[in-house]
Amino acid sequence: MAEDAAFGRVTTRSNDPGSNSPDTMAPLSPPNAAYKALVHHTRQTALLSSTLDLLGWDERTYMPPAGGPHRAEQSAFLAGLIHQRQTAPEVGAWLEELAESDLAADPYSDAGCNIARLRHDFEKQSRLPQRLVEELARAASLGEQVWQEARKSDDFSQFQPLLERTIALKREQAQAYGYEDSPYDPLLDDFEPGETTANITRVLAELRDRLAPLVAKIAESPRAPKQGILSREWPTAAQERFGKMAAGEVGFDFSAGRLDTTAHPFCGGGGPRDVRLTTRYQAHDFADAFFSTLHEAGHGLYEQGLPAEHFGLPIGEALSLGIHESQSRMWENLVGRSSAFWRHMLPKLRAEFPQAAGDLSAEAFYFAVNESRPSLIRTESDEATYNLHIIVRFELEQALLNGDLKGADLPEAWNQKYRDYLGVASPTDADGCLQDVHWSAGLLGYFPTYTLGNLYACQFMEQARRDLGDLDAQFESGEFGPLLDWLRTNVHAHGRRYTAGELVERVSGGPLSCEPLMRHLETKFGALYGF
Amino acid sequence: MAEDAAFGRVTTRSNDPGSNSPDTMAPLSPPNAAYKALVHHTRQTALLSSTLDLLGWDERTYMPPAGGPHRAEQSAFLAGLIHQRQTAPEVGAWLEELAESDLAADPYSDAGCNIARLRHDFEKQSRLPQRLVEELARAASLGEQVWQEARKSDDFSQFQPLLERTIALKREQAQAYGYEDSPYDPLLDDFEPGETTANITRVLAELRDRLAPLVAKIAESPRAPKQGILSREWPTAAQERFGKMAAGEVGFDFSAGRLDTTAHPFCGGGGPRDVRLTTRYQAHDFADAFFSTLHEAGHGLYEQGLPAEHFGLPIGEALSLGIHESQSRMWENLVGRSSAFWRHMLPKLRAEFPQAAGDLSAEAFYFAVNESRPSLIRTESDEATYNLHIIVRFELEQALLNGDLKGADLPEAWNQKYRDYLGVASPTDADGCLQDVHWSAGLLGYFPTYTLGNLYACQFMEQARRDLGDLDAQFESGEFGPLLDWLRTNVHAHGRRYTAGELVERVSGGPLSCEPLMRHLETKFGALYGF
């Protein structure tokens, strides 16, 4: 006989949501009832948030197609419960009571950090009227559908009304949040807490001006990698094994994580010891799957490195999108696209892909995975040109928000900036200003965190090299543990204790800067392209 | 560059949990605010329940091992929220207001059914003190761990204190629920609403007494299937393809469902159009994976056949565990273990497994998958002996609950009944009274639903044969649609409109009876074993 099914209204297996006693949490000294209650409440909300994350992961990996409408209802309801709990009046009361307490005195202590960040988040959230929250959610949900259609039919006019509506709502959101200098500030703060528009405008403008001559020198170089290496036949089952092996070698813990297949790679999960990478495989494209895997593994290493005992509290949470991206770019680019990495990996590559890789040298493969040329699509661009794609978007979304750019004029402005910064222009809007989902989903202020990630990564890497000696020699012999341990100690362990700016200053000894990134790019591409 | 990660505290994508307007639901006439509110509240609770189901599915399929402790917290918290919502005072107030309304007048109308079942569930749940709910949950959670250890080390003494504690709690639960005849009644009602201990005791005693001579006749027969067929080499990838094909042929909709691998097969899911079957594969066991797949597909067909527009309400819910099991047994045994089924499937079996099945005839294979012999393990037993395993458990759990049997005396009582009913006795408790998880998980009153499922299935099948003509001819030509449509109309479409007893009476024209099952078994095994 076959085994049993798991149906039924088993009424006796429910637990009291109040029974997750705060007494079992990390000890607090001095005890403070308000703080205990705040911590307990926040951790319970995080149980819902991590459940919502899992629903999202499932939706993008295994959910059957017809499950979509019900999943949307489940997710919206959970998101609403989470928002209600985050902005509940008792949270405000606890925070009020704690404001002047000893626990809050040192914002760099565990409790002080938790209180400060939760107050910041609570106050920001509470400034949004419920109506605006709902309208933003509706616009985002609708927006992704409209965007998909508009992109598919290469028709900006379908997208324009939604874009204008979204910009108006984001302006209203910025007003509701409040700001001093720029309406972009409080939106950026949602993704990169504590960062300012003025600061990154300055750094990104310098970066833009310094990237232009680099890109020109690459374009003028007579050198090029051997063509067609990456589009050989790379059997997908072997790609999956090789990617898993590499993610495991750099330290991703598969007993606390997975790797699955999806349409648009992401890193998600269900909890502190449940981190899920995704990628996608095509037989004639080695790079897409492999570097997506390493990129997401970088995100996953950060999640696995956060202090699990503080899960759900700021001190146990990822700091910002920029810092998250610094970890993914670190492993994808600074490790995974290094010459030393491929000197280590080449024998394994040949063993896994005897046909495709049998004739390759480490140096030829290294050049192939670092080919640089100005292109139209951000997600397919290389290390040297990538940040110019971001700077285009950063400048345009500010202009849209400020009213300096009208929605109708976006396609022309987009192409002008691409011509100016990259020397290319898209014949279609589908591969132009319609290529990214972000604006349709209401994500304004998100794009610069990609470049912040690249900047932070290089700032961290220079310090890691100072602290750890010859990292290339370590990579070449397959030793990735020292770098990971260094990141665990210097970045992961701190959760949201510092702002990103403070963390970078603490770790690298200086403020946000494009020097380390430029040094990295000039050295690397100078060697490859001979200048 | 690799694709983007999906991190960040995107504060604008939450939805108001109150915005899921009841106006979009099935129209109600006459409108009644209390009913609308009750429906809205109940459907929202079902969003949480289906989320909890998905967490359970994930835990048993893809969750990385280290994710367990966090998953337990997520699940317990969600279960607590669900219990809170189900027993919320406003639910009682709405039900009170509706008790005398026109909407409740006809308990077989959609609204009347919803009100009656929700009142029944609410009143039952509300009778349990919160302390008891928590103690039962703790005992169940602890119980599974203790049981696993005790079974592994074949040590009943490890299990006995927990069993005694569970029995005491279940007695307390029955007292809290209240009952007239037997404390077993309200526990049984949790799984088989409206059924009584007296009724099934009568039917199961008759079944027991009529199975004994059948089993004896099989044992005395000189016939036997050709040995070793099912333990040939059946490559697991081909088993998976073959099982999926068969589940699809009988009507399981894979656009609204999946089939995955697990340790202990079950059917779960995430919503009305998201039904997930699981099975497990071993190369030298064809039957376990295949019949598990068909069994779970039977559960899945029921879930896919429930009226999706009423999801979350009693009228859109499965009726009982017994009716659920009738659907799984129908497809597993009455269809999947029929001679006509294998006459249809044999060419496909040979094509998929040329080595293992190349020399097989349909009749030889049919006999192989129906070999009958008294055995120790319920989940491995055949159609003829299976119900005796259940009757042993049904009689023992009643005796434990009534106090007629002491926990310490369970192993001896177990073996005595196995000797009496099946003529076998286990040398170990691991393969004796420790073989099932149910009691450790607090599931008393659950076992008889397995046999009810077998009885209902045969009662339905006899009527289906009267209504649909020569079903065997249909199966032999691969036509499973008429039977499925018949089940959709006569069983699935009604949700919880009737009790199981009422439904059986309506569909088959008579009350619960062991006649159809006995006729089926005597005919089938008489032909196979020559009596």
Side-chain angles (χ1 to χ4, degrees):
Chain A
M1 288 282 162
E3 270 283 319
D4 315 329
F7 283 104
R9 296 172 298 282
V10 183
T11 57
T12 57
R13 308 191 66 188
S14 56
N15 263 4
D16 170 27
S19 68
N20 184 7
S21 164
D23 296 337
T24 61
M25 295 167 188
L28 303 168
S29 174
N32 181 310
Y35 183 69
K36 277 196 177 181
L38 177 68
V39 162
H40 184 55
H41 179 91
T42 305
R43 279 175 181 265
Q44 289 194 326
T45 306
L47 294 174
L48 294 179
S49 303
S50 57
T51 298
L52 182 60
D53 283 352
L54 190 83
L55 291 183
W57 170 85
D58 181 75
E59 184 172 347
R60 296 166 78 176
T61 51
Y62 293 111
M63 188 188 74
H70 186 73
R71 179 57 44 84
E73 282 194 62
Q74 290 174 314
S75 300
F77 184 65
L78 270 187
L81 281 182
I82 292 163
H83 181 76
Q84 270 185 354
R85 291 182 58 94
Q86 283 171 335
T87 57
E90 61 265 34
V91 173
W94 292 321
L95 287 166
E96 183 104 357
E97 188 180 337
L98 288 164
E100 302 300 319
S101 77
D102 287 351
L103 283 165
D106 175 6
Y108 298 108
S109 68
D110 288 1
C113 163
N114 286 335
I115 292 167
R117 305 300 177 207
L118 288 172
R119 184 163 55 221
H120 172 267
D121 298 351
F122 175 81
E123 287 175 358
K124 242 187 127 172
Q125 295 256 12
S126 302
R127 285 192 204 115
L128 296 185
Q130 186 69 25
R131 176 199 53 76
L132 182 59
V133 170
E134 286 173 38
E135 281 190 56
L136 284 161
R138 253 192 301 277
S141 167
L142 181 67
E144 285 202 37
Q145 298 164 40
V146 172
W147 166 74
Q148 273 183 347
E149 276 310 304
R151 191 182 186 200
K152 203 187 290 174
S153 48
D154 186 28
D155 182 359
F156 179 75
S157 70
Q158 280 184 40
F159 182 63
Q160 189 190 319
L162 182 104
L163 176 69
E164 289 168 351
R165 171 90 188 116
T166 300
I167 297 292
L169 284 170
K170 299 304 288 186
R171 229 176 260 149
E172 198 184 337
Q173 186 183 13
Q175 293 292 347
Y177 280 155
Y179 58 88
E180 288 182 15
D181 293 334
S182 162
Y184 195 84
D185 275 332
L187 303 181
L188 174 66
D189 180 272
D190 271 354
F191 308 111
E192 202 64 19
E195 193 49 86
T196 67
T197 313
N199 187 44
I200 62 175
T201 298
R202 186 182 52 74
V203 177
L204 267 60
E206 183 187 345
L207 181 63
R208 177 194 63 204
D209 296 342
R210 293 182 59 178
L211 283 171
L214 174 72
V215 170
K217 275 192 273 186
I218 293 171
E220 287 156 17
S221 167
R223 294 198 194 169
K226 185 173 170 188
Q227 292 304 294
I229 289 177
L230 301 177
S231 56
R232 291 175 176 182
E233 168 101 25
W234 301 89
T236 54
Q239 282 192 51
E240 186 173 352
R241 279 194 302 273
F242 189 75
K244 269 190 103 156
M245 175 280 295
E249 275 216 15
V250 300
F252 185 78
D253 177 0
F254 279 98
S255 78
R258 302 183 44 81
L259 173 63
D260 297 276
T261 304
T262 193
H264 298 283
F266 66 99
C267 172
R273 301 275 293 143
D274 184 351
V275 179
R276 303 184 183 197
L277 318 178
T278 61
T279 189
R280 59 187 170 195
Y281 302 99
Q282 285 178 2
H284 291 278
D285 187 346
F286 174 85
D288 186 42
F290 182 75
F291 290 106
S292 290
T293 300
L294 267 192
H295 179 99
E296 305 309 341
H299 284 302
L301 288 169
Y302 186 20
E303 292 286 316
Q304 289 186 338
L306 291 167
E309 68 278 19
H310 295 301
F311 181 80
L313 299 173
I315 200 73
E317 271 179 347
L319 205 177
S320 71
L321 287 194
I323 295 297
H324 230 307
E325 194 74 3
S326 77
Q327 300 307 292
S328 57
R329 297 295 175 171
M330 171 78 74
W331 293 101
E332 176 196 359
N333 288 336
L334 306 188
V335 179
R337 280 194 170 89
S338 72
S339 168
F341 182 82
W342 288 107
R343 285 196 298 278
H344 167 64
M345 284 290 178
L346 194 74
K348 297 167 195 272
L349 188 78
R350 284 181 160 168
E352 194 65 84
F353 305 97
Q355 299 287 325
D359 67 335
L360 295 178
S361 71
E363 284 310 307
F365 198 72
Y366 165 65
F367 201 175
V369 300
N370 283 292
E371 182 170 19
S372 175
R373 67 171 74 191
S375 64
L376 295 173
I377 307 291
R378 173 183 65 87
T379 57
E380 296 169 4
S381 67
D382 58 84
E383 260 187 290
T385 59
Y386 181 84
N387 296 295
L388 291 169
H389 293 261
I390 296 302
I391 291 166
V392 167
R393 291 154 176 76
F394 171 63
E395 293 177 353
L396 290 174
E397 67 183 11
Q398 279 191 83
L400 286 166
L401 194 70
N402 295 335
D404 295 341
L405 178 64
K406 299 248 174 304
D409 300 329
L410 176 64
E412 180 42 39
W414 180 282
N415 279 329
Q416 191 55 52
K417 284 207 186 279
Y418 263 77
R419 276 190 294 268
D420 291 349
Y421 301 166
L422 284 148
V424 295
S426 175
T428 68
D429 289 331
D431 285 346
C433 66
L434 291 176
Q435 71 181 265
D436 294 306
V437 68
H438 301 62
W439 291 337
S440 73
L443 301 175
L444 258 88
Y446 189 116
F447 277 123
T449 67
Y450 293 126
T451 286
L452 289 175
N454 289 322
L455 295 168
Y456 297 151
C458 288
Q459 291 186 263
F460 292 150
M461 196 61 161
E462 285 200 347
Q463 187 60 42
R465 287 187 193 279
R466 285 192 286 271
D467 291 348
L468 299 173
D470 190 348
L471 277 181
D472 286 328
Q474 294 171 25
F475 298 164
E476 187 164 349
S477 53
E479 292 168 34
F480 304 102
L483 177 60
L484 179 57
D485 289 343
W486 186 91
L487 291 168
R488 291 251 186 275
T489 306
N490 288 284
V491 179
H492 305 180
H494 295 304
R496 292 174 71 192
R497 192 182 308 276
Y498 309 104
T499 66
E502 288 171 339
L503 183 71
V504 167
E505 186 101 32
R506 273 179 60 95
V507 173
S508 72
L512 179 68
S513 158
C514 61
E515 291 298 338
L517 174 61
M518 287 310 304
R519 269 195 289 272
H520 161 70
L521 294 177
E522 279 160 2
T523 307
K524 176 175 189 171
F525 289 94
L528 280 169
Y529 283 93
F531 53 82
Chain B
M1 288 284 162
E3 272 281 317
D4 314 331
F7 284 104
R9 294 171 300 283
V10 184
T11 58
T12 58
R13 307 192 65 186
S14 55
N15 263 5
D16 169 29
S19 69
N20 183 9
S21 164
D23 296 336
T24 62
M25 294 165 187
L28 303 170
S29 175
N32 182 311
Y35 184 67
K36 278 195 177 183
L38 177 66
V39 163
H40 183 55
H41 179 91
T42 305
R43 278 173 180 266
Q44 290 195 325
T45 306
L47 294 174
L48 295 179
S49 303
S50 55
T51 299
L52 182 59
D53 283 352
L54 190 82
L55 291 183
W57 170 84
D58 181 76
E59 184 173 345
R60 296 165 76 175
T61 51
Y62 293 111
M63 187 187 76
H70 187 72
R71 180 57 46 85
E73 280 193 63
Q74 291 174 313
S75 300
F77 184 65
L78 271 186
L81 281 182
I82 291 164
H83 182 77
Q84 270 184 355
R85 290 182 61 94
Q86 284 171 335
T87 56
E90 61 266 35
V91 174
W94 291 322
L95 287 167
E96 182 105 354
E97 190 181 335
L98 288 165
E100 302 301 319
S101 78
D102 286 351
L103 284 165
D106 176 6
Y108 298 109
S109 69
D110 287 3
C113 163
N114 286 336
I115 293 166
R117 304 299 176 210
L118 288 172
R119 183 164 54 224
H120 172 267
D121 297 350
F122 175 81
E123 286 174 358
K124 238 186 130 171
Q125 294 258 10
S126 302
R127 284 190 205 117
L128 297 186
Q130 186 67 26
R131 176 200 52 76
L132 182 58
V133 170
E134 287 174 40
E135 280 191 56
L136 283 161
R138 251 192 302 276
S141 166
L142 180 68
E144 286 201 37
Q145 298 164 41
V146 172
W147 166 74
Q148 272 181 348
E149 277 308 305
R151 191 182 185 200
K152 200 187 295 171
S153 48
D154 185 28
D155 182 1
F156 178 76
S157 70
Q158 279 183 39
F159 182 63
Q160 187 190 321
L162 182 104
L163 176 69
E164 288 167 351
R165 171 88 187 121
T166 299
I167 297 293
L169 284 170
K170 298 306 286 186
R171 229 177 258 149
E172 199 183 337
Q173 186 182 13
Q175 292 292 346
Y177 280 154
Y179 58 87
E180 289 183 12
D181 292 336
S182 161
Y184 195 82
D185 275 331
L187 303 183
L188 175 66
D189 181 272
D190 271 353
F191 307 111
E192 202 64 19
E195 195 48 86
T196 67
T197 312
N199 188 44
I200 60 175
T201 297
R202 185 180 51 71
V203 176
L204 267 60
E206 183 187 345
L207 180 64
R208 176 194 63 206
D209 295 341
R210 293 182 58 178
L211 283 172
L214 173 73
V215 170
K217 275 193 274 186
I218 294 171
E220 287 155 16
S221 166
R223 295 198 194 170
K226 186 174 167 189
Q227 291 305 294
I229 289 177
L230 301 177
S231 55
R232 291 175 177 181
E233 169 100 25
W234 300 89
T236 56
Q239 284 193 50
E240 185 173 353
R241 279 194 303 273
F242 188 75
K244 268 191 105 157
M245 176 278 298
E249 276 215 16
V250 300
F252 185 78
D253 178 0
F254 279 98
S255 79
R258 302 184 44 82
L259 173 63
D260 296 277
T261 305
T262 192
H264 299 283
F266 67 100
C267 172
R273 303 275 291 143
D274 185 351
V275 179
R276 305 188 181 194
L277 318 178
T278 59
T279 189
R280 60 186 170 196
Y281 304 99
Q282 284 177 5
H284 291 279
D285 186 348
F286 174 86
D288 186 42
F290 183 76
F291 290 105
S292 290
T293 300
L294 267 193
H295 179 98
E296 304 309 340
H299 285 301
L301 288 169
Y302 186 21
E303 291 286 316
Q304 290 185 338
L306 292 166
E309 68 276 21
H310 296 299
F311 180 81
L313 299 173
I315 200 73
E317 272 180 347
L319 206 177
S320 70
L321 286 194
I323 296 296
H324 232 305
E325 194 74 3
S326 78
Q327 301 306 292
S328 57
R329 296 295 174 170
M330 171 77 74
W331 293 100
E332 177 196 358
N333 287 337
L334 305 188
V335 178
R337 281 194 169 89
S338 73
S339 169
F341 182 82
W342 287 107
R343 286 196 298 276
H344 167 64
M345 284 290 178
L346 193 75
K348 297 166 192 275
L349 189 78
R350 283 180 163 169
E352 193 65 86
F353 304 97
Q355 300 287 325
D359 66 334
L360 294 179
S361 69
E363 285 310 306
F365 199 71
Y366 166 65
F367 201 176
V369 300
N370 282 291
E371 181 170 17
S372 173
R373 69 171 74 190
S375 64
L376 295 173
I377 306 291
R378 173 182 66 85
T379 57
E380 296 167 7
S381 67
D382 59 85
E383 260 187 287
T385 58
Y386 182 83
N387 296 295
L388 292 169
H389 292 262
I390 295 302
I391 291 167
V392 166
R393 289 155 177 77
F394 172 63
E395 293 177 354
L396 290 174
E397 67 185 11
Q398 280 192 81
L400 286 165
L401 194 71
N402 295 334
D404 295 340
L405 177 65
K406 297 247 175 305
D409 299 330
L410 176 65
E412 179 42 38
W414 179 283
N415 279 329
Q416 189 57 50
K417 285 208 187 279
Y418 263 76
R419 275 191 295 267
D420 292 347
Y421 301 165
L422 284 150
V424 295
S426 174
T428 69
D429 289 330
D431 286 345
C433 65
L434 290 176
Q435 70 180 262
D436 295 306
V437 69
H438 300 62
W439 291 338
S440 73
L443 301 175
L444 257 87
Y446 189 117
F447 277 122
T449 68
Y450 292 125
T451 287
L452 289 175
N454 289 323
L455 294 169
Y456 297 151
C458 287
Q459 291 186 263
F460 293 150
M461 195 61 162
E462 284 198 349
Q463 186 61 41
R465 287 187 193 278
R466 284 190 287 271
D467 292 347
L468 299 173
D470 191 348
L471 277 181
D472 285 328
Q474 293 171 25
F475 297 164
E476 187 163 350
S477 53
E479 294 168 35
F480 304 102
L483 176 62
L484 180 57
D485 289 344
W486 187 91
L487 291 168
R488 291 255 188 271
T489 305
N490 289 284
V491 179
H492 305 180
H494 296 304
R496 292 173 72 189
R497 193 182 307 277
Y498 310 104
T499 66
E502 289 171 339
L503 184 73
V504 168
E505 186 101 31
R506 272 179 60 95
V507 173
S508 71
L512 179 69
S513 159
C514 61
E515 291 298 337
L517 174 60
M518 286 311 304
R519 271 194 290 273
H520 162 70
L521 294 177
E522 278 160 3
T523 307
K524 175 174 188 170
F525 288 95
L528 280 169
Y529 284 94
F531 54 83

